[in-house]
Amino acid sequence: MEDRWRGWDNAEIYDRFVREHRIYGWLNSQLVELASLGSAHRVLDLGCGTGATTRACLGRLPVDAEVVGLDSSAEMVGVAEARVFDPRARFVVAPADAVGEAVAPPFDRVVSNAAFWQFPARARVLEAIGKLLSPGGLFVFNVPSERAGAAPFHVFQVALARAIADVSQQPFARSTPPFRPEAFEAEAAGFGLELERMEERIYEGRQIEFMDLMEIPALIAPLTEDLDEVATRKVLDRARGAADPRERVEVAWLFLRLRRR
């Protein structure tokens, strides 16, 4: 799954999206607030992408702190290194499930913005986080509430699902496994990570953000893996035409904070 984030098209389109739209900035502000970075000195940004979360962390950390960003995509990391001009930050190319071998402990915080729920082999990632965090350290991440079955789809998502079914002539099927908070809490506890806070926060935006989000190849690919490039473009155009880009939407996200025992 992480391999789909390789390639300069992904990195450049994703980076442009983050700069042009508000949602990732909002997600990062919520994440760093929940992570209580004021007392942290060493932070791991897991699934760092093009560095937006790393920059948000640096804005809350003291001058002697360090942030290590890790991502499986060399191209994403290349953009991050070009955009983050701060000696407190460094970046590592490695898949999330190899984080235990790619970086050395200890860390005070591990943060993961809009990424953890997409990782394959999540149990291996959790095990590594449990070993990398110092006792009392925090792991903070977020996941769309819809993945936990706790929120409705918005208009563009419905239009996209219908367009995929029409073009492919197959019933639409979700490709990403659901996120089950209760099962996750039990699994994390087995690695010494105790869930101490989980809350839903609402992002208010417009449909255009979610239309443009699906222009990122890595995000549309799992939904259209049986379609070629031309058919995928047809799907996107049809879905965009069925929704009003100016329409206001509310999108619920779950934010979770775990503490290392």
Side-chain angles (χ1 to χ4, degrees), residues 76-88:
M76 289 285 214
V77 168
V79 175
E81 289 174 331
R83 291 205 172 276
V84 181
F85 301 103
D86 194 310
R88 296 174 296 168

Side-chain angles (χ1 to χ4, degrees):
M1 292 283 285
E2 289 177 295
D3 286 347
R4 74 174 192 264
W5 286 96
R6 294 299 311 275
W8 287 108
D9 280 354
N10 271 310
E12 291 168 359
I13 297 171
Y14 175 88
D15 181 58
R16 183 170 66 246
F17 178 90
V18 170
R19 288 184 285 110
E20 292 181 351
H21 293 295
R22 294 177 46 248
I23 185 167
Y24 276 96
W26 179 84
L27 288 169
N28 282 323
S29 68
Q30 306 300 306
L31 197 73
V32 298
E33 173 199 330
L34 195 59
S36 302
L37 296 180
S39 60
H41 282 80
R42 197 156 187 258
V43 178
L44 173 63
D45 178 6
L46 189 57
C48 66
T50 56
T53 306
T54 295
R55 289 196 300 273
C57 291
L58 290 167
R60 302 288 188 95
L61 291 169
V63 294
D64 59 343
E66 179 188 32
V67 181
V68 180
L70 181 141
D71 202 278
S72 64
S73 169
E75 294 81 9
M76 289 285 214
V77 168
V79 175
E81 289 174 331
R83 291 205 172 276
V84 181
F85 301 103
D86 194 310
R88 296 174 296 168
R90 67 182 181 89
F91 296 94
V92 177
V93 178
D97 59 9
V99 63
E101 296 77 46
V103 299
F107 287 92
D108 305 304
R109 303 287 187 273
V110 176
V111 297
S112 185
N113 183 42
F116 177 77
W117 53 278
Q118 299 186 64
F119 296 149
R122 284 203 302 246
R124 287 187 59 189
V125 179
L126 278 174
E127 180 181 13
I129 291 171
K131 294 176 180 177
L132 289 168
L133 276 172
S134 299
L138 299 176
F139 170 40
V140 182
F141 72 100
N142 50 25
V143 58
S145 292
E146 68 184 60
R147 296 292 174 184
F153 288 104
H154 54 75
V155 172
F156 179 70
Q157 286 177 305
V158 173
L160 186 63
R162 288 175 174 169
I164 291 170
D166 288 346
V167 173
S168 68
Q169 296 295 298
Q170 297 289 334
F172 175 76
R174 294 176 60 169
S175 59
T176 305
F179 178 80
R180 306 296 187 201
E182 298 82 5
F184 169 79
E185 181 177 5
E187 184 177 38
F191 300 116
L193 298 167
E194 189 171 304
L195 180 64
E196 66 174 25
R197 190 168 174 181
M198 180 174 69
E199 60 187 64
E200 188 173 75
R201 300 186 180 188
I202 307 297
Y203 174 72
E204 297 182 2
R206 297 188 184 275
Q207 291 285 1
I208 185 63
E209 292 187 77
F210 306 100
M211 294 176 174
D212 288 353
L213 189 68
M214 287 296 106
E215 297 291 338
I216 301 170
L219 291 181
I220 191 62
L223 303 177
T224 59
E225 58 185 357
D226 296 327
L227 301 177
D228 61 20
E229 187 175 344
V230 173
T232 297
R233 184 69 259 165
K234 184 177 181 180
V235 162
L236 287 168
D237 290 344
R238 185 175 295 187
R240 291 180 80 108
D244 182 353
R246 300 165 298 177
E247 182 181 352
R248 297 188 66 83
V249 294
E250 293 185 349
V251 182
W253 284 75
L254 285 179
F255 287 79
L256 299 93
R257 184 172 76 188
L258 298 95
R259 188 176 296 274
R260 178 72 169 90
R261 290 197 295 267

